[in-house]
Amino acid sequence: MDLTDDEIQVILDLSFKTQQLPKGQSLIPSDSENVSLVMDGWACRYKILSDGRRQITSFVLPGDLTGVRACLFGVSDFDTETLTDCVTTLIDGKDIARLFYEAPRLAAAVTWASAREEAMLTEHVVSLGRRNARERMAHLFLELHSRLEIVGFVEKLAYGMPITQEMIADCLGLSIVHVNRTLKAMRKEGLLEYYNGYVILKNAKKLRSICGYDSNHLEGTLHPEIADYDPDA
């Protein structure tokens, strides 16, 4: 949507600071009153069980916000960790709350981003509950490509994916052995290449067919009635 002069000024008036975080650090403390916008690098949201097992619930990529729920409601049900060196911008949570009465269209955009996160979590639940290992893997690689393509971090059907097979296993609910075996089989079929933190989707059409992939849950724009809303009209 096109921003008005007032909306641009609201963005310029946000209280923020940019920080550089090394790999292995918390992206944002669970009790933080700030929202983190990732500018560069990869992170993940995860939960640790009492016996030390980890479930990665989602990967955080450039352009993603995290911490909105915690700053608005004082509750966070996950931890975060940087998977690479990251550059982030911290925005005061009070400024996010202020958008809802000073700049409702910008607040709607934040809400849209949260709705997209919910849609991705729904797909993740479907993968864990109903898709087999091959289908889970295909869906993950295709979804990451779609998300990175939106923010300009792909080269046609190739992109950097700086995560290990162990992280893939923690995300997809598989053993590392199962992940390794599945990747080898998919490589042998000519579906994809995954090596040295880099992915090439060699047969994206067949990958989509394998898992029934549809990127609608990632795309779309604000409803016209919201995008064109004029609070002063």
Side-chain angles (χ1 to χ4, degrees):
M1 63 185 185
D2 293 329
L3 298 179
T4 66
D5 291 341
D6 288 343
E7 287 169 335
I8 292 173
Q9 190 57 52
V10 168
I11 293 174
L12 294 175
D13 289 342
L14 290 175
S15 301
F16 68 89
K17 65 177 180 179
T18 299
Q19 61 179 0
Q20 296 187 359
L21 297 175
K23 175 181 177 181
Q25 297 294 307
S26 174
L27 185 63
I28 187 167
S30 58
D31 60 350
S32 175
E33 296 182 351
N34 296 320
V35 171
S36 178
L37 171 62
V38 176
M39 308 298 290
D40 190 39
W42 285 49
C44 70
R45 301 181 181 94
Y46 67 93
K47 298 258 308 192
I48 298 285
L49 301 182
S50 58
D51 61 2
R53 286 176 295 168
R54 178 175 68 168
Q55 175 65 54
I56 291 177
T57 60
S58 62
F59 292 106
V60 183
L61 307 180
D64 287 347
L65 286 170
T66 190
V68 175
R69 184 182 177 205
C71 86
L72 291 179
F73 304 110
V75 176
S76 178
D77 48 12
F78 57 80
D79 292 308
T80 60
E81 180 179 331
T82 56
L83 302 178
T84 66
D85 293 345
C86 287
V87 178
T88 69
T89 294
L90 291 180
I91 304 171
D92 191 318
K94 295 184 181 66
D95 283 345
I96 297 295
R98 185 165 54 87
L99 295 178
F100 285 86
Y101 60 89
E102 287 192 5
R105 293 201 312 159
L106 294 179
V110 173
T111 304
W112 180 90
S114 297
R116 192 184 76 153
E117 288 292 336
E118 181 181 352
M120 287 192 292
L121 282 174
T122 297
E123 287 293 337
H124 192 46
V125 169
V126 172
S127 284
L128 295 177
R130 286 292 179 262
R131 293 184 178 115
N132 60 35
R134 193 162 174 260
E135 293 165 343
R136 295 180 199 185
M137 201 85 69
H139 196 278
L140 175 65
F141 283 108
L142 287 168
E143 184 178 82
L144 288 172
H145 178 271
S146 294
R147 293 175 62 192
L148 290 167
E149 185 176 37
I150 290 170
V151 290
F153 278 79
V154 302
E155 299 174 12
K156 295 185 178 179
L157 293 176
Y159 59 92
M161 184 176 171
I163 59 178
T164 64
Q165 291 189 26
E166 180 180 6
M167 293 172 190
I168 294 175
D170 286 348
C171 176
L172 299 182
L174 302 169
S175 69
I176 299 177
V177 172
H178 203 165
V179 167
N180 184 268
R181 187 187 308 128
T182 304
L183 283 172
K184 284 183 178 179
M186 296 177 83
R187 185 183 302 117
K188 188 174 181 180
E189 290 179 59
L191 296 174
L192 59 83
E193 290 287 345
Y194 168 70
Y195 58 91
N196 297 329
Y198 208 70
V199 174
I200 303 174
L201 305 181
K202 305 197 77 172
N203 193 335
K205 183 177 180 180
K206 188 171 182 179
L207 286 170
R208 293 189 190 98
S209 176
I210 287 171
C211 62
Y213 182 75
D214 187 333
S215 61
N216 285 341
H217 66 298
L218 300 175
E219 299 170 354
T221 56
L222 289 178
H223 191 283
E225 290 185 7
I226 298 175
D228 298 334
Y229 173 70
D230 182 359
D232 298 322

